[in-house]
């Protein structure tokens, strides 16, 4: 029999209310034992909680949810306690002393919900993103994926595959029968496969959610003393980088996450770029700056106009406009971190470009794992459309189904699940 798990599922105390959840076969019985009375499912009961030795723990509200119609798909109970540290600890100590109960591991409640079919893997990943969301754009994208719209699309594709499979099986089993419908012939199956592949491919054009989760990478680059560190501090509104007139002050990459207009950004201040240096440490910093520029989504170039190593997603910036230290064309943004001139326009430009790099409103916010599975499904379907051999068609159908099953979690590895659910907090 599976253990009954428990954990604090609300914020860390002290707080007005603390919620301790239990999930498993002994959840309801344990709640009744603590309350000392029978509990009607899905009704709130105000009860005096007592430990096994009769010690009073707290006066709390208790709600039980019988499985399988619960958040985890098994018996679930919630204890709504007073949110003091000592109260929560006393209740958890009492639970840990009961046979068959143990503290939950990170993400174990959600993992049980997945295992019991209450959510699929895509919804579990979306829940993880929702819990870690720090910007409005992240919250909205995660909530959209939690709404099952993408899961319904995948299920519709699976149903189309079943229809294709039936057609192929009919061709294999009854190809010598005259009454087999002409629509079951391989040419018709290939047409259906191309149509489905095109629909799947259309979702691969949606921008990746990884930038939305990790932040749009913005690298500030240019020669020494071009104003990169001052500009970084001005953008993040704090002294994140040391500002000095001494060339080569910044030697390593300084990364600062920040939200602008609801969009997540990761700003990186880099070492000043110059052709040569006798300082080994500075040379290493310049090399790292080059690597950061290669990985950047957007580069704020503070050097001579047109001399950036990259040709795309480069915003030309004339920094230190109050000193007129660098002259650029009118196409460049003239800013001064010292006076604030031009900073609002720079933020607007960053957000304008940033919106083109992340999933738009209403788009699925697919991560790389999900996009890889979609790509595999589309590849198999397209390959299937190029053959008329029924046995090969059946194999490509199998590969397509496996790709879709990886999306929803019907086909998975324990390592994958461990990786996904380890990112959850304990109690979720």
């Amino acid at each position: 029999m599976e253990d009954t798990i428990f954990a604090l599922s609300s914020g860390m105390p002290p707080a007005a209310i603390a919620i301790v959840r239990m999930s498993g076969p002994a959840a309801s019985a344990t709640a009744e034992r603590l309350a000392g009375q029978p509990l009607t499912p899905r009704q709130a009961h105000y009860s005096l909680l007592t430990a096994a030795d009769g010690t009073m723990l707290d006066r709390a509200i208790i709600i039980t949810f019988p499985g399988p119609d619960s958040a985890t798909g098994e018996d679930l109970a919630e204890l709504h306690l007073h949110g003091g540290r000592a109260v929560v600890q006393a209740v958890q100590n009492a639970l840990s002393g009961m046979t068959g109960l143990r503290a939950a591991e990170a993400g174990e409640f959600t993992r049980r919900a997945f295992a019991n079919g209450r959510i699929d893997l895509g919804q579990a990943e979306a829940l993880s993103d929702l819990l870690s969301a720090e910007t409005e754009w992240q919250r909205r994208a995660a909530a959209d994926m939690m709404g099952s719209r993408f899961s319904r699309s995948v299920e519709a594709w699976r149903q189309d595959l079943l229809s294709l499979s039936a057609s192929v099986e009919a061709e294999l089993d009854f190809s010598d029968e005259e009454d087999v419908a002409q629509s079951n012939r391989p040419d018709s199956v290939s047409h259906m496969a191309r149509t489905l592949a095109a629909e799947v491919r259309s979702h691969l054009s949606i921008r990746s959610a990884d930038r939305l989760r990790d932040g749009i990478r913005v690298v500030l680059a240019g020669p020494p003393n071009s104003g990169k560190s001052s500009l970084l501090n001005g953008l993040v509104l704090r002294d994140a980088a040391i500002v000095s007139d001494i060339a080569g002050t910044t030697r390593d990459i300084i990364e600062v996450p920040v939200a602008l207009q609801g969009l997540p950004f990761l700003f990186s201040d880099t070492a000043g770029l110059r052709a040569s240096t006798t300082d080994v440490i500075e040379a290493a910093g310049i090399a790292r700056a080059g690597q950061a520029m290669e990985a950047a989504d957007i580069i704020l170039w503070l050097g001579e106009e047109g001399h950036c190593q990259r040709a795309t997603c480069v915003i030309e910036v004339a920094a230190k406009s109050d000193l007129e230290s660098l002259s650029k064309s009118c196409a460049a943004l003239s800013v001064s971190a010292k006076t604030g001139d031009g900073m609002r326009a720079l933020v607007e430009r960053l957000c304008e470009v940033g919106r083109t790099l992340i999933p738009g409103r209403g788009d699925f916010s697919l991560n790389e794992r999900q996009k890889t599975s979609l790509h595999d499904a589309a590849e198999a379907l397209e390959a299937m459309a190029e053959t008329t051999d029924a046995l090969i068609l059946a194999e490509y159908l199998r590969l397509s189904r496996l790709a879709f099953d990886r999306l929803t979690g019907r086909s998975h590895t324990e390592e994958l699940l461990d990786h996904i659910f380890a990112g959850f907090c304990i109690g979720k």
Side-chain angles (χ1 to χ4, degrees):
M1 181 180 293
E2 193 168 24
D3 290 338
T4 296
I5 57 174
F6 67 88
L8 175 67
S9 294
S10 55
M12 291 300 294
I17 299 293
I19 301 175
V20 171
R21 289 203 302 174
M22 297 179 285
S23 183
S28 297
T30 301
E32 291 184 343
R33 188 186 314 171
L34 290 171
Q37 62 174 320
L39 302 173
T40 303
R42 306 184 187 282
Q43 290 189 13
H45 296 263
Y46 182 62
S47 304
L48 173 66
L49 305 186
T50 57
D53 61 2
T55 303
M56 187 189 84
L57 298 172
D58 192 23
R59 292 187 181 275
I61 293 174
I62 308 176
I63 311 174
T64 59
F65 304 88
D69 191 18
S70 69
T72 59
E74 56 191 15
D75 286 355
L76 184 74
E78 291 184 354
L79 309 177
H80 295 238
L81 313 168
H82 291 93
R85 290 189 179 91
V87 173
V88 173
Q89 190 61 56
V91 171
Q92 289 182 317
N93 288 342
L95 293 175
S96 63
M98 296 181 180
T99 303
L101 270 72
R102 63 171 175 83
E105 298 175 358
E108 193 167 4
F109 284 90
T110 305
R111 187 163 185 164
R112 291 192 177 194
F114 165 73
N116 292 321
R118 299 298 294 174
I119 58 174
D120 62 30
L121 198 56
Q123 289 173 297
E125 290 176 294
L127 177 57
S128 178
D129 291 340
L130 186 63
L131 293 173
S132 61
E134 295 183 354
T135 71
E136 175 60 18
W137 210 283
Q138 290 171 331
R139 182 202 66 78
R140 190 166 53 235
D144 183 65
M145 285 295 285
M146 277 288 292
S148 302
R149 190 161 59 92
F150 178 64
S151 298
R152 289 194 296 271
S153 295
V154 175
E155 183 57 31
W157 295 333
R158 287 187 74 256
Q159 293 302 318
D160 290 341
L161 279 178
L162 289 176
S163 297
L164 281 169
S165 297
S167 298
V168 172
E169 290 297 330
E171 177 65 24
L172 284 171
D173 295 340
F174 307 109
S175 57
D176 58 343
E177 299 291 337
E178 294 182 358
D179 59 349
V180 176
Q182 186 62 34
S183 62
N184 288 338
R185 297 306 183 187
D187 54 346
S188 177
V189 170
S190 296
H191 173 73
M192 295 168 65
R194 288 192 185 94
T195 301
L196 182 54
E199 187 174 344
V200 173
R201 283 282 183 197
S202 68
H203 288 75
L204 287 172
S205 63
I206 297 174
R207 294 179 287 272
S208 174
D210 293 319
R211 288 192 185 99
L212 191 59
R213 183 187 64 244
D214 302 331
I216 301 164
R217 301 188 67 88
V218 179
V219 171
L220 287 76
N225 282 343
S226 56
K228 299 184 298 297
S229 297
S230 295
L231 183 58
L232 173 71
N233 293 343
L235 286 167
V236 302
L237 301 179
R238 64 184 179 90
D239 293 334
I242 297 174
V243 177
S244 171
D245 292 332
I246 302 174
T249 298
T250 302
R251 299 192 171 199
D252 205 350
I253 296 174
I254 299 173
E255 294 187 336
V256 185
V258 68
L260 299 176
Q261 298 183 7
L263 299 176
F265 287 91
L266 182 64
F267 287 102
S268 298
D269 185 18
T270 59
L273 303 174
R274 48 183 163 185
S276 62
T277 177
T278 58
D279 189 318
V280 176
I281 297 177
E282 185 182 5
I286 292 173
R288 291 189 178 186
Q291 294 169 0
M293 292 173 67
E294 286 296 321
D297 297 313
I298 302 172
I299 294 177
L300 297 184
W301 179 246
L302 279 67
E304 189 174 347
E305 190 167 6
H307 283 224
C308 182
Q309 297 174 4
R310 279 223 332 223
T312 57
C313 279
V314 176
I315 299 177
E316 294 277 358
V317 178
K320 300 183 178 181
S321 63
D322 53 308
L323 301 177
E324 298 183 354
S325 60
L326 183 62
S327 176
K328 289 192 174 185
S329 70
C330 59
L333 289 176
S334 179
V335 302
S336 170
K338 182 177 181 179
T339 65
D341 289 343
M343 293 296 291
R344 178 175 295 181
L346 177 56
V347 169
E348 289 291 339
R349 178 74 67 84
L350 281 169
C351 292
E352 178 185 351
V353 176
R355 291 188 189 96
T356 68
L357 300 175
I358 61 176
R361 296 186 180 183
D363 288 340
F364 297 125
S365 54
L366 305 181
N367 58 37
E368 284 305 312
R369 183 194 72 81
Q370 293 164 330
K371 283 203 165 189
T372 297
S373 293
L374 283 181
H375 178 270
D376 292 344
E379 289 274 296
L381 288 164
E382 289 165 349
M384 183 174 65
E386 299 302 320
T387 182
T388 57
D389 187 297
L391 288 174
I392 297 177
L393 287 172
E395 175 61 15
Y396 283 131
L397 275 168
R398 185 186 69 84
L399 294 176
S400 298
R401 285 196 301 268
L402 284 175
F404 288 141
D405 287 347
R406 286 196 299 272
L407 281 169
T408 59
R410 285 186 175 90
S411 173
H412 58 77
T413 63
E414 288 302 311
E415 290 80 6
L416 172 63
L417 297 183
D418 289 343
H419 173 74
I420 291 175
F421 291 109
F424 284 76
C425 58
I426 294 175
K428 192 62 181 175

